[in-house]
Amino acid sequence: MTTSRGNAEAKNEGFRDVYDMIMSDSDHPRQQAFLMMIVDRLSEKQRIVLLDGMAKEYAGLDGWMTYVDREA
């Protein structure tokens, strides 16, 4: 994982899980590393489903592009 931590470590640091940790700070290098990693491992459709789901679950937004607009 790009955070070098798993769910247990993320929970110990106060996050719900490792994805919550990734979403907690859009300026942290772990989010950029995660985004670069999934390009090689997931299809475009899979990335859209994953990122939209993460935006909804962890940021309470309609989708990834809404998250990106908010964070920009």
Side-chain angles (χ1 to χ4, degrees):
M1 180 52 71
T2 58
T3 63
S4 72
R5 294 176 190 86
N7 282 333
E9 293 90 355
K11 287 179 181 181
N12 284 340
E13 293 183 36
F15 298 99
R16 291 185 351 203
D17 55 30
V18 74
Y19 295 106
D20 186 27
M21 177 183 280
I22 290 167
M23 294 295 290
S24 70
D25 185 353
S26 63
D27 292 327
H28 195 283
R30 70 179 156 242
Q31 191 175 91
Q32 183 66 28
F34 175 77
L35 294 172
M36 291 175 61
M37 178 194 69
I38 66 172
V39 168
D40 293 336
R41 298 192 174 147
L42 301 176
S43 71
E44 182 178 358
K45 288 181 181 181
Q46 290 170 322
R47 290 191 306 268
I48 290 168
V49 169
L50 175 63
L51 294 174
D52 281 350
M54 288 174 67
K56 290 174 186 174
E57 179 74 21
Y58 300 102
L61 299 171
D62 290 334
W64 185 254
M65 292 313 297
T66 304
Y67 173 76
V68 170
D69 287 344
R70 184 188 79 179
E71 297 297 306

